[in-house]
Amino acid sequence: MPARGSQRRRDEIVRLATTSGLASVDELSETFGVTASTIRRDLALLTTQGRLARTYGGAMALTAHPETSLRQRIGEAFGAKRAIARVAAAEVGPGETVLLDAGSTVGALAHELRSVPGLTAVTVGLTALQELSDAEGVTVHCLGGTLRPLSQGFVGPLAEAALERVTFDRAFLGADGVTAEGLCEADLAQTRLKELMARRATDVYVLAHGAKLGRSPFHAWARLEPGWTLITDASAEPASVGRLRGAGITVVVAGVAEGVESSA
């Protein structure tokens, strides 16, 4: 039994390192209720087995968490994404100019924006383009650039150059993970573009369902600035919400059925 328990603990350490990024000895010791020495022995064995790479004070996965395609993600947390999109759409007024990121949640927002009178929507995402392509009364622009097939979004110098010619009332960003430290993505070009998008907008919103909060599956980051608004759903862990609010982020929690559950 002890041997099986040790193996389960090591398997879980690998899972945590893969899904959450860096794993520290102190955090793992507290999580599993064992001594730091035990965790260090576990990490040494996992490193020898080629399952982890040692870092100062902890370990990390040898390979990045595999990025799933937009097509794979489109059906995940569908109700939560719809609720988030409805709350986000309520922030947009007639005649505004908005900037829409790539991603399934921002795509759901684009669907909700189809009836906004006089709207101008600028996007880097194919999903938003498809949702708004036949929306009457909505002017749609695409920034262009290099298409990332997995995210179905445009990145690169052409998209960045196009941003310099426009300003926006609001920018709506997606993310693979959100912590108080920033927005986590699989690709540095994505994080750079998000930072540039945010600089061109008066108000910045991040749309992320609860499972993405507190996660850092990749190693590319964009800063999450005080004064921005995160719109999430009721599945978000209160501890993650609290850390974000403590960092100066306004957090709005949308109920799946209707409306807003809470905000700060």
Side-chain angles (χ1 to χ4, degrees):
M1 180 66 73
R4 288 197 296 272
S6 297
Q7 185 59 51
R8 284 196 296 269
R9 184 178 65 247
R10 293 171 191 137
D11 290 342
E12 183 67 8
I13 288 172
V14 173
R15 187 191 70 80
L16 288 172
T18 302
T19 58
S20 301
L22 295 176
S24 75
V25 170
D26 291 340
E27 290 173 344
L28 293 172
S29 176
E30 182 177 350
T31 297
F32 295 104
V34 297
T35 66
S37 296
T38 298
I39 293 297
R40 290 191 185 95
R41 287 194 294 271
D42 286 342
L43 297 181
L45 178 60
L46 291 169
T47 302
T48 300
Q49 293 173 343
R51 301 179 67 189
L52 288 180
R54 289 299 299 271
T55 65
Y56 180 78
M60 63 181 292
L62 281 172
T63 58
H65 187 262
E67 181 185 6
T68 55
S69 69
L70 181 65
R71 183 169 297 181
Q72 290 172 298
R73 299 194 307 269
I74 202 79
E76 295 176 355
F78 181 75
K81 292 175 183 178
R82 289 279 309 273
I84 291 168
R86 287 193 294 268
V87 172
E91 298 289 311
V92 179
E96 290 191 349
T97 296
V98 299
L99 178 57
L100 304 178
D101 202 357
S104 56
T105 309
V106 179
L109 168 61
H111 179 81
E112 298 292 329
L113 295 177
R114 288 171 55 87
S115 60
V116 177
L119 180 72
T120 296
V122 182
T123 186
V124 295
L126 289 183
T127 303
L129 277 176
Q130 291 167 352
E131 289 287 356
L132 295 170
S133 61
D134 62 347
E136 294 185 9
V138 177
T139 300
V140 183
H141 301 284
C142 178
L143 290 182
T146 302
L147 180 65
R148 292 190 75 248
L150 281 173
S151 65
Q152 292 290 283
F154 293 98
V155 296
L158 292 179
E160 294 169 10
L163 270 175
E164 296 178 2
R165 295 180 175 271
V166 196
T167 57
F168 307 91
D169 296 298
R170 307 175 198 279
F172 295 92
L173 308 179
D176 288 323
V178 181
T179 75
E181 286 70 43
L183 308 181
C184 182
E185 290 288 348
D187 181 75
L188 284 170
Q190 289 178 290
T191 55
R192 172 175 168 78
L193 186 60
K194 289 179 194 297
E195 290 177 341
L196 295 176
M197 291 167 72
R199 293 175 192 171
R200 305 300 291 172
T202 302
D203 295 304
V204 181
Y205 302 79
V206 178
L207 310 185
H209 62 83
K212 292 186 175 182
L213 270 59
R215 295 185 68 244
S216 52
F218 304 111
H219 300 288
W221 290 86
R223 287 178 58 85
L224 183 60
E225 300 286 354
W228 291 10
T229 298
L230 169 71
I231 304 178
T232 187
D233 72 286
S235 70
E237 292 185 357
S240 295
V241 171
R243 284 190 288 271
L244 288 159
R245 286 176 172 157
I249 310 303
T250 297
V251 181
V252 178
V253 181
V256 173
E258 74 282 329
V260 176
E261 183 175 285
S262 63
S263 64

